[in-house]
Amino acid sequence: MPAGRRRLALAVLVLAQLTVWLDNTILNVALKTLADPQEGLGASTNQLQWSISSYTLIFAVMLFSGGVLGDRYGHRRMLLTGTAVFAASSLWAGLSGGPGELITARGAMGVGSALIMPATLSLISAVFDARERAMAIAIWSGSSGLAIAAGPLVGGALLERFWWGSVFLVNLPLAAVTVLGAVFLLPAARSTSRTKLDPLGVLLSTVGLLAVVYGLIEGGHRNEWTGPAVLAPITGGALVLVVFVLVELRVSTPSLDVRLFRNARFSGATVSVMLTYFSLSGSMFYTAFYLQGVRDQTPFEAGLNLVPVAAGVLTGAPLSAGLVRRFGLGPVVGPAMLAAAGTFLAYTGIGTGTPMAWFWLLLFVQGAAMGAAMAPTTEAVMAVLPPDRTGAGSAVNNSMRQIGGVLGVAVLGSLLTTTYRSQIEPALAPLPAQVSRPASASAEATRQLAAR
């Protein structure tokens, strides 16, 4: 394939991934609007968590099958199918009449994304040789940083002019361009191996992760972590996941090839990716409420103030390829993740009057550190995979990203809910229980009570 065509092919693959990530980040600035009973759907905090988690959870568990389907039937075909599903469910989400319908539509969007993501990374491996692949993957990884910036900005601009559903309908033209580019620019080759599907593995992973995430979110909603309604799903889900691992070790064509984790380079890189997305997704969830709820910013203003983290990712990801060639994987990824951890520790000192310049600096350092960690770890994962297993291997990598993301929102979102409720309840104590109980569920519910 000529160099110019390869660059155009990479642009299509970056756009496909950008569309998937844009949907996640664009929702961050819409959370406060969705919580509003007049302007949005009156969603509670745990419903907002599920509007994010239903997408990332289905995305994560269906990635296992998405990679296998791509290896078997062709990655371009899966990219086209996934884009069609994603566009149709985006239309459904934009026209939803309540929080429950939105959560269901978001889950359907996760199915489409699960077919798209493994295909993009596998097609990069098919289009670029080993000499060019590292830089192509760095650009592909860095595009998630562009989505971090573009999502809040586009979402904020739409919310200031249209209703909340517009943040989902914007996916439709992007999907159309992706389909046209894929048809004319991407190779249609597929693996010669006829890999079998693993429906039992998909079922066990879905049930196990769903139960654990439900327990984590319910714990924050109830503000009580020792009751059976919280411990039972977390414990039961963990046991189901143990059974899932045992089953995957026995089947000939597992949906998640846990044997890959015997390779130290693969397992270390994959766990690093998971922890990075745990932190990134969780921090974006509570940062949206800080900017709009505490600092009283509009959705568009909040989007502008999130640009530094995207600029950091776009800076750190491309630089990491050269740093890894010079110093090695560990000496780059280790310090990068420590730097990201330092920024999260520094967030604990931010208050209502903290200068925004300090907040921007922390966001930029956080993004640069995460970008420097994500790109080389992703390339390390792909480097140890045989050519006919790139789809399944990239699915493992992307699954761990999404699992990290859904756990980040579940754990940190529940921590946010629990902490808020414990601190607001004394102020609401003089009010009748039928009024104070719903008002303590979230800051938006408290504001609605105050307005009345």
Side-chain angles (χ1 to χ4, degrees):
M1 182 183 293
R5 188 180 177 88
R6 290 200 302 273
R7 286 193 289 269
L8 289 174
L10 179 61
V12 172
L13 297 172
V14 166
L15 178 62
Q17 180 186 237
L18 180 64
T19 305
V20 170
W21 283 116
L22 186 72
D23 178 75
N24 241 359
T25 58
I26 204 172
L27 188 58
N28 287 326
V29 295
L31 293 174
K32 185 173 180 293
T33 303
L34 288 170
D36 191 294
Q38 278 75 44
E39 296 184 13
L41 299 175
S44 64
T45 301
N46 66 315
Q47 287 173 328
L48 292 175
Q49 287 175 270
W50 275 115
S51 70
I52 295 175
S53 297
S54 64
Y55 173 80
T56 51
L57 181 63
I58 299 301
F59 191 175
V61 297
M62 289 300 296
L63 272 167
F64 304 151
S65 296
V68 172
L69 288 170
D71 285 336
R72 184 171 184 177
Y73 297 109
H75 298 294
R76 189 182 72 166
R77 182 176 295 175
M78 288 302 104
L79 178 64
L80 292 170
T81 303
T83 303
V85 172
F86 184 81
S89 49
S90 293
L91 178 62
W92 180 15
L95 301 177
S96 296
E101 187 178 357
L102 175 62
I103 291 168
T104 305
R106 292 277 294 161
M109 293 173 71
V111 175
S113 298
L115 298 177
I116 294 171
M117 288 297 286
T120 60
L121 196 51
S122 296
L123 286 165
I124 286 177
S125 297
V127 171
F128 295 92
D129 58 24
R131 180 176 53 86
E132 297 178 318
R133 190 177 301 136
M135 181 55 69
I137 289 177
I139 294 172
W140 176 86
S141 297
S143 66
S144 62
L146 181 60
I148 294 171
L153 286 175
V154 172
L158 290 171
L159 289 171
E160 290 192 359
R161 293 167 176 81
F162 308 104
W163 95 113
W164 60 265
S166 60
V167 302
F168 298 109
L169 299 186
V170 73
N171 294 328
L172 301 183
L174 296 176
V177 174
T178 299
V179 168
L180 289 174
V183 169
F184 291 106
L185 294 170
L186 299 179
R190 70 186 186 202
S191 172
T192 56
S193 62
R194 303 295 291 176
T195 308
K196 295 181 180 178
L197 298 180
D198 178 25
L200 179 59
V202 172
L203 176 64
L204 290 173
S205 60
T206 303
V207 171
L209 283 171
L210 181 64
V212 171
V213 171
Y214 173 82
L216 291 171
I217 293 177
E218 193 66 14
H221 177 60
R222 293 171 177 266
N223 196 23
E224 196 269 320
W225 293 89
T226 58
V230 175
L231 289 181
I234 292 177
T235 304
L239 291 175
V240 171
L241 291 176
V242 171
V243 174
F244 164 71
V245 172
L246 295 176
V247 168
E248 297 303 275
L249 287 171
R250 290 178 175 271
V251 298
S252 58
T253 55
S255 58
L256 173 62
D257 192 354
V258 294
R259 298 175 186 87
L260 289 171
F261 287 94
R262 294 171 181 169
N263 184 302
R265 186 180 179 89
F266 180 92
S267 58
T270 302
V271 171
S272 296
V273 167
M274 184 185 74
L275 294 175
T276 300
Y277 276 85
F278 175 96
S279 305
L280 180 62
S281 299
S283 66
M284 288 297 102
F285 184 83
Y286 60 69
T287 297
F289 286 102
Y290 170 73
L291 292 174
Q292 296 182 66
V294 178
R295 303 303 289 252
D296 198 28
Q297 295 181 357
T298 66
F300 185 69
E301 289 172 339
L304 284 174
N305 281 286
L306 290 174
V307 168
V309 69
V313 173
L314 290 170
T315 301
L319 288 176
S320 64
L323 292 173
V324 169
R325 283 195 299 268
R326 182 172 181 181
F327 300 107
L329 185 66
V332 173
V333 175
M337 297 197 71
L338 286 175
T343 62
F344 292 121
L345 180 62
Y347 281 136
T348 60
I350 290 179
T352 56
T354 301
M356 289 304 298
W358 173 241
F359 182 71
W360 297 334
L361 177 62
L362 290 179
L363 284 178
F364 180 81
V365 174
Q366 172 193 331
M370 289 184 165
M374 285 188 292
T377 50
T378 302
E379 199 279 328
V381 167
M382 299 306 294
V384 301
L385 296 171
D388 63 344
R389 295 292 287 162
T390 57
S394 64
V396 172
N397 178 256
N398 282 297
S399 294
M400 299 307 286
R401 286 189 186 201
Q402 298 307 315
I403 290 170
V406 71
L407 290 178
V409 172
V411 172
L412 298 182
S414 295
L415 181 62
L416 176 68
T417 303
T418 301
T419 303
Y420 178 78
R421 178 174 287 150
S422 65
Q423 295 189 18
I424 198 64
E425 281 181 344
L428 297 173
L431 299 175
Q434 64 269 25
V435 175
S436 63
R437 188 177 298 109
S440 67
S442 68
E444 286 307 307
T446 308
R447 288 191 189 94
Q448 290 298 319
L449 174 64
R452 293 198 301 270

